[in-house]
Amino acid sequence: MSPATTSTASTKQKVARLAVWSIVVALGVLGLKLFAWWITGSVALYSDALESIVNVVTAIAAVWAISISHRPADHDHQHGHHKAEYFAAVFEGVMIIVAALLIMSQVVQTLNEPRPLEQPWQGLAINGGAAVLNAIWATILIRQGRAARSPALEADGHHLMTDVMTSVGVIAGLILAVFTGWNVLDPLLATLVAINILVQGWKIMGESLSGLMDKAVSVEENVRIRDIVSVHSKGAIEVHDLKTRIAGRATFIEFHLIVDGDMTVRESHVICDRIEEALKAEIPSVRVTIHVEPDDEAKLPPGTSAIPFA
């Protein structure tokens, strides 16, 4: 087994393991938040717990999507299954929006009859512990999701971090409600929670749909790709029509390589292999397509630039 294959297998196992642990953590946090809501009767804590139910559902969806995305290419999906993770991220955005609507329905009921909180300090302490657990796990998911180029893991991490900020805001607001006796703050805080997660859900859906639409690599990554190709294209005359797209962990790169019209197929193939190996060494899960053309297809006059890009 080659080092690249071993690295891919290791990344796959790590992502799958993190996705499964996300379910365990989400269930633990949900239990803590439901208990905090149960002993206080706070609609704001209820809204916080409801968001954690979404976390459980989306964590399960992420496990499914990640398992699908790591499947090798087959007859029906010859470019692989990388985009499966985007569907999980879109589903997470939809679930967040549903949670926001459910929270608002509870807010409407509570606004008509605001009531004092029961055992507020115990409930807030429990909710605070759940927030700390969420913050630690969200940081892990975001970092590992970026390193493994896993949209599902990273989206889950960002949502959890939003959940943490929500919990902090709810706790601060409820402390104020306890000290002032303004019971109306409870449903008002729940309203802010609903708006916050609604915006986050929309953002997650937008980013995932962008991935489904074959978004190109960033400007910085594009420059890095061009530099790699330039350095390793010795023997070629020009490179043009460079195109990129991202599908989950995979980066697809294609371009036209201009060579001397009298160059043999074997000689041009050696140049292509050299460029492809250099790209694979620098960019994880890259797929390279090179179209070789004779020099009469060049777009720049001979000797125009030392850099072979048109």
Side-chain angles (χ1 to χ4, degrees):
M1 184 179 292
S2 67
T5 303
T6 302
S7 176
T8 300
S10 176
T11 300
K12 174 183 177 181
Q13 292 174 359
K14 180 184 292 186
V15 170
R17 186 165 54 248
L18 286 169
V20 171
W21 272 105
S22 286
I23 299 175
V24 177
V25 173
L27 285 170
V29 170
L30 172 61
L32 290 172
K33 289 187 176 183
L34 284 175
F35 183 57
W37 163 60
W38 181 67
I39 65 176
T40 62
S42 166
V43 67
L45 292 183
Y46 164 80
S47 67
D48 209 9
L50 192 61
E51 187 175 6
S52 290
I53 294 177
V54 176
N55 293 345
V56 174
V57 175
T58 53
I60 294 172
V63 169
W64 170 83
I66 288 169
S67 66
I68 297 295
S69 71
H70 280 89
R71 289 180 182 177
D74 55 33
H75 182 267
D76 293 326
H77 307 87
Q78 298 177 3
H79 291 283
H81 302 77
H82 311 288
K83 290 187 177 182
E85 291 193 40
Y86 288 122
F87 289 100
V90 171
F91 177 69
E92 180 167 349
V94 172
M95 290 299 296
I96 291 173
I97 293 173
V98 171
L101 296 177
L102 291 175
I103 291 170
M104 288 306 299
S105 68
Q106 186 70 22
V107 166
V108 171
Q109 298 177 29
T110 308
L111 276 173
N112 295 326
E113 299 178 8
R115 58 182 182 273
L117 304 180
E118 301 175 7
Q119 304 183 62
W121 300 116
Q122 294 92 326
L124 290 174
I126 294 170
N127 212 67
V132 171
L133 178 58
N134 250 354
I136 294 172
W137 190 245
T139 301
I140 293 173
L141 288 182
I142 292 171
R143 290 178 178 175
Q144 295 298 324
R146 286 175 179 170
R149 300 189 68 172
S150 171
L153 274 188
E154 190 174 349
D156 200 16
H158 282 299
H159 172 53
L160 287 182
M161 195 58 76
T162 302
D163 193 12
V164 172
M165 300 307 296
T166 297
S167 297
V168 171
V170 166
I171 291 171
L174 289 179
I175 289 175
L176 180 62
V178 172
F179 279 117
T180 62
W182 298 341
N183 296 323
V184 73
L185 283 176
D186 186 27
L188 291 179
L189 284 170
T191 302
L192 293 177
V193 171
I195 295 172
N196 183 45
I197 66 174
L198 192 63
V199 172
Q200 185 68 14
W202 186 259
K203 181 180 177 182
I204 289 174
M205 288 181 64
E207 292 175 351
S208 301
L209 290 173
S210 179
L212 289 173
M213 293 297 292
D214 289 337
K215 182 180 179 180
V217 301
S218 66
V219 174
E220 293 79 9
E221 186 74 354
N222 187 276
V223 170
R224 188 161 77 102
I225 290 170
R226 290 170 69 94
D227 289 342
I228 294 171
V229 175
S230 291
V231 169
H232 295 87
S233 59
K234 183 179 180 181
I237 297 172
E238 178 186 291
V239 176
H240 60 241
D241 292 345
L242 174 69
K243 297 177 182 178
T244 63
R245 65 183 177 93
I246 300 174
R249 302 176 318 282
T251 299
F252 290 83
I253 302 171
E254 62 178 77
F255 55 85
H256 293 199
L257 183 73
I258 304 297
V259 300
D260 190 318
D262 294 327
M263 182 179 286
T264 65
V265 172
R266 185 179 300 278
E267 289 171 333
S268 63
H269 183 66
V270 168
I271 299 173
C272 291
D273 277 350
R274 187 169 64 242
I275 297 172
E276 187 173 349
E277 289 170 6
L279 288 168
K280 287 181 177 179
E282 296 292 331
I283 302 172
S285 301
V286 71
R287 308 288 192 274
V288 184
T289 301
I290 305 174
H291 180 66
V292 178
E293 296 179 328
D295 49 13
D296 58 0
E297 296 292 331
K299 293 187 175 182
L300 292 175
T304 298
S305 174
I307 301 175
F309 272 93

